Amino acid sequence: MRKQVYQKAGALLMVALLATASSCGALEEQGEQVNEQAAVLRVMNFDGGLGGEWLKDLEEKFEAAHANDTNWEKGKVGVDIVIDPLKFTGDSLGASIATHKDDVFFTEGNSYYNFVTSGWVKDITDVVTEVNGYDGKTIESKLDDEVRDFFKTNDNKYYALPFYSAYEGINYDIDLFDDMSFYFEGDTTKEGTPAKYVTEAGEKVYSFTDLSGTRSAGPNGKAGDYDDGLPATYEQFYAMCDNMKMQGVTPMLWNNHAFYMSYFMGSLQADYEGKDAMMANFTFGDAKNKTIEIVDGFNEDGTPNIVETTISNTNGYEVYSQAGRYYALDFVNTMIQEGYVSTKAFGSNENGIVAQTDFLNGKYSEKKETVAMLIEGTWWENEADAVFKTLEGTEGAKASRKNRRLGFMPFPKATEEKIGEPLTTMNINQTAIFVKSSISDERYQLAKEWIKFVLSDAGLNTFTKYTNTSMLYNYQIEDEIFNELSPYGKSVYEIKQNSIEVYPASKNELFLSNSGFFSMHTDAYWNSSYLVNGTMKMRNSPITPFREKEATPIEYFEGVRKYAEDNWERNFSKYFEK
Amino acid sequence: MKEQVKKTGFMKKRRQDLLFYIAFMAFPVIQFIVFYVVKNFNSFVLAFQGYDAFQGYYFNGLENFKKVFYDIAHEYYFKTGIRNSLIHYGIGLVIGLPLGLTFSYYIYKKFLMSEIFKVILFLPSVVSIVVMQIIWANVMDGMIPEIYFAKTGNTMLGLMANSKTRFLYLELFNIWVSFGGSMLYYVGAMARIPDSLIEAAELDGASLWEEFFQVVIPLTWSTVKTLLVVGIAGIFTADLNLYLFYGTGAETDAYIVGYNLLRLTVTSKLDGYPYISAFGMILTAVTMILTFAMRFVLEKYTWEDVEF
């Protein structure tokens, strides 16, 4: 009797274990049918704002192109790419990568050299340097110099390649700008300058127009191109916000993720500093141009006093005194103090999706705020796809993603002297495509072929077609694809074509060995310490201190420098120049 | 012969028993080894290492511990975190515990609408914490400001967004969501009290207050004591659900030790892990001392456990 009980219990346990095991398999089957007759390659795709439609399309094309291949795995005909959408990012991925079921990874937030040093990733040098059969070019030739230099290790090998490119910045509603005339009218007597007129009170104010009017030249100082009528300076930006407020429109919204604002302010800083000076934040003693401009106190009129200094690992904290940081802080402070930003932006419920929804929905409801601009990364439009679809259902075709005119605004310049300087954009994330080192030899060859296919011109165009953004490579968008892009996608492409990009990484040992600390994603980039009622406090973001008038931009800025300098030696002396 | 058959049968049964035992225990034991023993051993080793991008990990002596102690003494957010952790524990002790006991007693006595209260109070414990957070955040930072706007035409900061009210509403949220869990223990402990003891107290003319303080509390004290000791162990791991509300970007004034540890872990790369390991080890040592001290105090100066 007891034996029977044990047998039944044992059988029950086995059934339970098998059910658990098979349910995992069943789930996978529900996601994507695995073709056991073909050579299988598993691909993890970061399941974030850019989604996976683009990869699905490439998967189908790749499988069709290699349907009759027999060379990838003995006894197998054709290939089967299995896409695994996961939110697995950062260095924590490395610890489990050896036993991870996926072979190839498209992800973000990883420290490339940590992966190389830890032996987690496979050498893909030939993929990068050999001519790609799919388009007759090498992948290496499509990389910017800085990006190439970063990914090529000191022994001239590549273990990963960059994935997508994304900027954080001001996204604006072109339809709203047009309908409510938020563009600066051009002064026809002085080319490129916004028109002003004198009110009865004797106040000089700007004149605004819609898209059909004569618009000012915008921040690049050239009339007749993509940025016409947009604010050229911070001062003009504030005037535009005043105009919006007067017409009952909330100028700005952002979400409650602190690191988004860190990215945004870092991007403003990059545009002020330009590429070389901005790169000093990541290259320190290995900077191409070691002379950088920093703020040495403030003049009586509140403007920063700029001096030059030579940057090294030893005095790397000097980058925290760059004027671009100050102007970025001042810009955000003005947005808050002048009430240009919706109070929703400070709420714990205003996450990324909610803020996107509020931005897109606002103008269709009288009960909601109409919002003109949203601080977000360029992936946001794709992320908000469901919101567009809902709006299309309720508001009609004009509200669809395809028809709604939205754009990415080139940054206004901090000062008038900067007008005409090229736009500098910041690739906010370190992204990567790599193959795990524990991959089998057979799959390794297939993985390399797959990467070549994805990074061919056609593959890159497919990415752009679906996501309305770009990969971090130089490639021409085909006319047919360009015409299919949403207005926002076209705008992002224009920005890419007209800007100088910064990639926030370098091979400097101080940077690489402390990459977590120097990432804009962490709060260390804007940490500041200053006195509040006699107590030295540390803040990790200026938003609340500005909102509560705890610190002025100058106090916060000086605190950023102080915090960096106070902690520099004890944390990084190992990397100081001898 | 008979003896031998009996012995063989016994051995076979022993083998079957052993097999059954192994089948039953293998999974939890392996899980314990991998996710507790190996993980903690790895953390222990990491705490004595440094990291270099080109060399990987290297032995770094006590450097990480020195850094943690320096930060505890000098860094504003460390000091704030320790202060807030102690306040949070204090609030649980002074408000959460008496409230939990009182409501449990109310339910145990089956007073008016106790069944409805039971459902209302237990609900947050069975619904996902993420769902509860979304509801709370939308009420505090969405609904209330919108009502205020509709009534006055002025905007206001949400109660979780305003740094003056944030800590209070975080604490209220935490009491709300953890209430049901502790009540489950208290009601369970109260249900074990023999009816005869309660009847005897009633026959002796004890009021409800006397019954509560002089019969129910002493008889359920072993459960309360256990939860108090477990609570001590959680002082430095509780994160006040800050991560749910603010991700890694909570303001430094709101920091609590458990949140700081979590935030560092989420945002760190390989170079940050040794420091976090040292931090974790120091917290473990402090928590151990506090836990034993609390146990000692409770054993020595409060009611003895009662067997019934």
Side-chain angles (χ1 to χ4, degrees), chain B residues 281-296:
Chain B
M281 278 181 65
I282 291 167
L283 287 182
T284 306
V286 174
T287 307
M288 239 164 71
I289 295 166
L290 287 176
T291 306
F292 282 117
M294 182 68 155
R295 220 181 83 177
F296 175 77

Side-chain angles (χ1 to χ4, degrees), chain A residues 311-413:
Chain A
I311 196 78
S312 66
N313 285 357
T314 311
N315 71 350
Y317 53 82
E318 296 283 11
V319 296
Y320 291 82
S321 291
Q322 284 185 322
R325 276 193 198 248
Y326 165 70
Y327 282 114
L329 288 166
D330 192 49
F331 181 84
V332 170
N333 180 56
T334 308
M335 297 304 297
I336 295 169
Q337 299 304 332
E338 298 297 329
Y340 297 148
V341 61
S342 167
T343 51
K344 279 184 178 175
F346 311 115
S348 59
N349 58 332
E350 197 72 6
N351 62 31
I353 303 286
V354 173
Q356 291 162 11
T357 310
D358 286 341
F359 173 60
L360 291 172
N361 282 352
K363 71 177 182 185
Y364 296 111
S365 167
E366 279 182 17
K367 288 179 187 162
K368 290 184 173 157
E369 286 178 276
T370 300
V371 180
M373 294 172 283
L374 174 75
I375 305 283
E376 254 285 11
T378 43
W379 59 79
W380 82 270
E381 196 218 24
N382 200 60
E383 198 169 46
D385 193 51
V387 184
F388 281 106
K389 282 180 179 145
T390 308
L391 273 176
E392 192 179 350
T394 55
E395 305 297 330
K398 67 180 190 307
S400 72
R401 189 175 165 191
K402 203 86 188 153
N403 295 328
R404 189 146 172 202
R405 290 182 301 165
L406 300 160
F408 190 89
M409 186 182 284
F411 293 119
K413 303 294 180 187

Side-chain angles (χ1 to χ4, degrees), chain A residues 115-149:
Chain A
F115 275 60
V116 175
T117 305
S118 303
W120 291 331
V121 283
K122 198 93 172 167
D123 183 356
I124 52 168
T125 309
D126 51 346
V127 173
V128 187
T129 54
E130 286 172 10
V131 172
N132 189 343
Y134 295 104
D135 61 10
K137 298 174 188 167
T138 64
I139 294 172
E140 193 175 37
S141 68
K142 298 177 191 177
L143 296 170
D144 271 347
D145 292 350
E146 286 74 17
V147 178
R148 188 195 57 224
D149 291 348

Side-chain angles (χ1 to χ4, degrees), chain B residues 43-268:
Chain B
S43 294
F44 180 81
V45 174
L46 262 178
F48 298 94
Q49 291 184 316
Y51 184 80
D52 183 280
F54 296 119
Q55 295 171 38
Y57 288 111
Y58 59 90
F59 181 69
N60 201 22
L62 295 172
E63 280 307 306
N64 297 314
F65 292 93
K66 282 186 202 163
K67 267 189 186 175
V68 176
F69 281 120
Y70 179 91
D71 288 346
I72 290 171
H74 296 91
E75 281 284 8
Y76 174 74
Y77 64 91
F78 260 90
K79 288 188 263 187
T80 310
I82 292 168
R83 188 197 65 198
N84 287 345
S85 289
L86 295 173
I87 292 174
H88 175 58
Y89 181 72
I91 288 173
L93 204 64
V94 176
I95 299 171
L97 177 70
L99 267 182
L101 282 169
T102 316
F103 273 94
S104 302
Y105 182 60
Y106 191 92
I107 287 165
Y108 163 66
K109 295 296 286 183
K110 298 188 172 67
F111 287 145
L112 184 68
M113 298 206 302
S114 60
E115 288 301 313
I116 293 171
F117 278 130
K118 204 196 277 184
V119 174
I120 292 171
L121 295 170
F122 280 134
L123 203 62
S125 303
V126 290
V127 176
S128 158
I129 185 82
V130 178
V131 174
M132 301 306 293
Q133 182 270 333
I134 292 170
I135 293 169
W136 190 266
N138 277 293
V139 171
M140 299 300 158
D141 285 349
M143 199 175 88
I144 292 174
E146 292 217 1
I147 291 171
Y148 182 79
F149 180 73
K151 296 268 177 213
T152 66
N154 297 318
T155 55
M156 72 170 270
L157 273 180
L159 299 167
M160 299 291 288
N162 190 332
S163 62
K164 290 179 184 71
T165 52
R166 180 185 50 218
F167 196 74
L168 171 69
Y169 286 91
L170 271 170
E171 284 294 349
L172 285 176
F173 175 76
N174 277 276
I175 290 173
W176 183 42
V177 294
S178 60
F179 208 63
S182 54
M183 262 177 53
L184 202 66
Y185 291 108
Y186 298 140
V187 173
M190 288 173 189
R192 285 184 58 238
I193 299 172
D195 292 343
S196 56
L197 280 175
I198 300 294
E199 280 164 17
E202 282 169 0
L203 287 172
D204 287 345
S207 67
L208 281 175
W209 285 111
E210 284 167 334
E211 184 184 305
F212 180 62
F213 283 110
Q214 290 171 24
V215 180
V216 174
I217 295 287
L219 289 177
T220 53
W221 190 242
S222 61
T223 302
V224 177
K225 214 160 60 177
T226 307
L227 288 181
L228 283 173
V229 174
V230 170
I232 282 279
I235 286 183
F236 298 128
T237 51
D239 82 332
L240 201 58
N241 290 305
L242 277 171
Y243 188 74
L244 271 180
F245 282 100
Y246 307 105
T248 55
E251 286 155 23
T252 46
D253 276 351
Y255 274 24
I256 186 166
V257 176
Y259 170 75
N260 192 23
L261 192 64
L262 179 66
R263 182 190 67 90
L264 284 169
T265 312
V266 171
T267 57
S268 283

Side-chain angles (χ1 to χ4, degrees), chain A residues 138-285:
Chain A
T138 64
I139 294 172
E140 193 175 37
S141 68
K142 298 177 191 177
L143 296 170
D144 271 347
D145 292 350
E146 286 74 17
V147 178
R148 188 195 57 224
D149 291 348
F150 177 70
F151 278 92
K152 190 193 272 187
T153 61
N154 290 335
D155 55 353
N156 291 323
K157 293 201 165 158
Y158 289 92
Y159 293 86
L161 281 162
F163 177 20
Y164 67 85
S165 154
Y167 320 129
E168 180 85 12
I170 304 163
N171 303 276
Y172 68 112
D173 188 330
I174 298 172
D175 286 327
L176 190 74
F177 270 56
D178 191 16
D179 293 346
M180 302 194 77
S181 299
F182 291 147
Y183 290 102
F184 286 88
E185 190 170 25
D187 184 342
T188 47
T189 60
K190 204 177 166 195
E191 198 189 339
T193 313
K196 284 182 179 177
Y197 67 92
V198 182
T199 63
E200 281 179 16
E203 194 185 5
K204 277 186 181 175
V205 294
Y206 290 104
S207 181
F208 292 90
T209 182
D210 59 19
L211 279 174
S212 63
T214 307
R215 288 171 287 148
S216 63
N220 70 0
K222 285 182 217 150
D225 62 7
Y226 74 101
D227 70 347
D228 285 1
L230 293 172
T233 60
Y234 288 0
E235 192 200 315
Q236 288 178 27
F237 190 88
Y238 305 147
M240 181 187 75
C241 290
D242 283 332
N243 181 19
M244 288 169 176
K245 275 181 75 177
M246 278 191 293
Q247 298 194 53
V249 171
T250 301
M252 180 79 85
L253 180 63
W254 59 66
N255 65 46
N256 66 359
H257 299 303
F259 60 92
Y260 275 52
M261 287 309 284
S262 174
Y263 287 148
F264 174 63
M265 292 187 292
S267 302
L268 286 177
Q269 179 196 358
D271 186 48
Y272 180 90
E273 298 295 340
K275 185 172 184 171
D276 284 353
M278 188 62 196
M279 280 306 292
N281 286 272
F282 315 106
T283 53
F284 301 107

